Structures are given as C-alpha cells and as structure tokens.
Amino acid sequence: MSRPLVQRLAPDVVLLTGPAVEAVRFAVAVALAARRRNGLPVPAHLAVIAAELAAGGQTDAKVLVNSNTRPQATRWITTEEAAKMLGCSNRQARRKAPALGGQLHAGRWMLDHQAVTEHLEGRKAA
C-alpha cells in the first residue's frame, strides 16, 4: 500500500512526500522569481521554505537546543528587518550579515534575530 502524497498530521502540520515535495518546491521557486522580477521583497518565511526544500535535502537552518533539550528553530529575519533594528541602511545590514552569522537562503541574506539583538546590546554597552 502506498503512502498518500499529502497527510494532515495536525491543524498546522502537513507531511509532504514524493512528488508533492517537488510540486511545492516548484511553486515556491515560481513565487520567488515573480516577486524578484516585479521588484517586490521576498518574505522571510518564503525564503526559509525555499531553503528547507532545497534540492538534495540540503538546508542551512540552525537548530538550537534549550535547557529542556527540545530543538528550537532559529528565528530568521531579513536584512531589511535587521537594518531597522540596527538603525542603518539595508546595504550596511547586508555588509554586516556574514559577521552576524547571516546565511544565504534562496539568494537573500537571512540573519538570526538573537545575533542581531546581541550585537545591538553590545554596541549600546560599549
């Protein structure tokens, strides 16, 4: 008996298998291309989905372990959000991204919110 391509495991949890994963990967790629072509920003969550669905199962997502030893996903923010937090231009935020542990997801810099917050706190303390 074959497994269904899409299974709803909980109200906000869906399991995709086989061709369903490729279909979603294609749909996200089309959405990203259309937004870029039209000069629209790529939402952070869409960039993260694209990275998670990267071919070959490759992912740049970090997993942190808290005191309860449960995995906790990193909260990623765009350079636009980081620029607002840091009080600098988007261009300057992109320049700082590698130093702040930023990672490229679908061609866009994504930064760990916690790292940006810690950088900001350190800058204020100095």
Side-chain angles (χ1 to χ4, degrees):
M1 177 179 260
S2 65
R3 248 186 334 189
L5 297 178
V6 179
Q7 298 176 45
R8 179 161 301 278
L9 303 178
D12 60 346
V13 179
V14 176
L15 175 65
L16 303 174
T17 59
V21 175
E22 186 56 38
V24 172
R25 182 182 298 131
F26 176 76
V28 170
V30 168
L32 288 172
R35 292 190 69 82
R36 288 188 184 117
R37 184 176 54 250
N38 293 315
L40 299 171
V42 175
H45 64 278
L46 195 57
V48 171
I49 290 169
E52 289 294 327
L53 294 175
Q58 297 174 359
T59 178
D60 291 332
K62 292 182 182 176
V63 176
L64 304 177
V65 178
N66 63 20
S67 60
N68 298 329
T69 66
R70 282 188 319 199
Q72 180 179 15
T74 300
R75 179 175 170 220
W76 295 105
I77 60 172
T78 63
T79 54
E80 290 87 359
E81 293 170 290
K84 287 178 186 174
M85 289 174 66
L86 297 170
C88 65
S89 69
N90 186 30
R91 183 176 181 177
Q92 187 64 27
R94 282 194 308 271
R95 287 181 181 157
K96 291 182 179 188
L100 295 174
Q103 296 182 5
L104 281 173
H105 290 273
R108 294 184 50 98
W109 280 106
M110 302 299 293
L111 293 95
D112 178 357
H113 181 269
Q114 184 63 33
V116 174
T117 301
E118 289 172 6
H119 175 74
L120 186 59
E121 291 170 356
R123 196 172 68 182
K124 287 180 180 176

